[in-house]
Structures are given as structure tokens and as C-alpha cells.
Amino acid sequence: SIYGVFAAKQGALKPVGEWNEYEIVAAGRRISVRLNGTLVVEADLDTVKDPQVLRRHPGLARTAGHIGLLGHKSHVEFRALRVRELP
């Protein structure tokens, strides 16, 4: 998900104990997220106009920044991370 802005579609997670595979593409302001081959988020950040959402998530206005990998108060592990710049 793009938390508090665009919810991810449910049902693509593998069972606990199995590795999940994500592909996240940020092409300009368009973001797509595939989880285990299923498109779970497709968003255009330029469509967010709600002032309350923009106040809560000021990073939405940025055109560049850092990558953050976060969990939900539980142990998470990452492997085989690759970051590529799009042409």
C-alpha cells in the first residue's frame, strides 16, 4: 500500500514462512506494485488532491527521495534486493 492514500488489493500474500516477491516500479509519479505476480497497487500520485491527505503525507509532493522498507511491529527479512534506474 501507499499507506493512508492508496490501499493494496488483498489476497496475493504467500503463507507465513514463505518468501513473497515484490516488484515496485516508480515511473515518474506513477507507482505500480506487484506482489507474487499480482498487481496490488496502481497509483498516480498526481491524482491526490485532498488537502488533509497531503498534510498527513507531505512526502507525496516530492519527486525524488529515499526508499524505505517497513514492517508492522514484527520481524521482517529482505533478500535479493535490486534497485534499477528507469531509462
Side-chain angles (χ1 to χ4, degrees):
S1 292
I2 300 172
Y3 290 104
V5 185
F6 294 98
K9 296 176 186 148
Q10 303 294 302
L13 280 173
K14 291 183 178 179
V16 172
E18 293 185 30
W19 287 101
N20 288 289
E21 182 178 322
Y22 280 92
E23 178 185 69
I24 302 167
V25 177
R29 309 269 303 145
R30 298 190 60 78
I31 311 295
S32 66
V33 180
R34 289 190 177 277
L35 170 58
N36 300 318
T38 301
L39 185 65
V40 294
V41 175
E42 190 167 34
D44 181 346
L45 299 180
D46 288 333
T47 65
V48 181
K49 304 293 184 195
D50 184 329
Q52 289 180 326
V53 172
L54 293 170
R55 212 171 10 263
R56 279 192 310 264
H57 303 281
L60 289 174
R62 295 176 185 239
T63 57
H66 300 281
I67 298 170
L69 304 171
L70 311 170
H72 287 279
K73 298 182 183 179
S74 60
H75 179 80
V76 294
E77 293 183 26
F78 302 95
R79 68 176 185 176
L81 294 173
R82 291 176 288 184
V83 178
R84 293 185 291 192
E85 188 170 346
L86 297 177

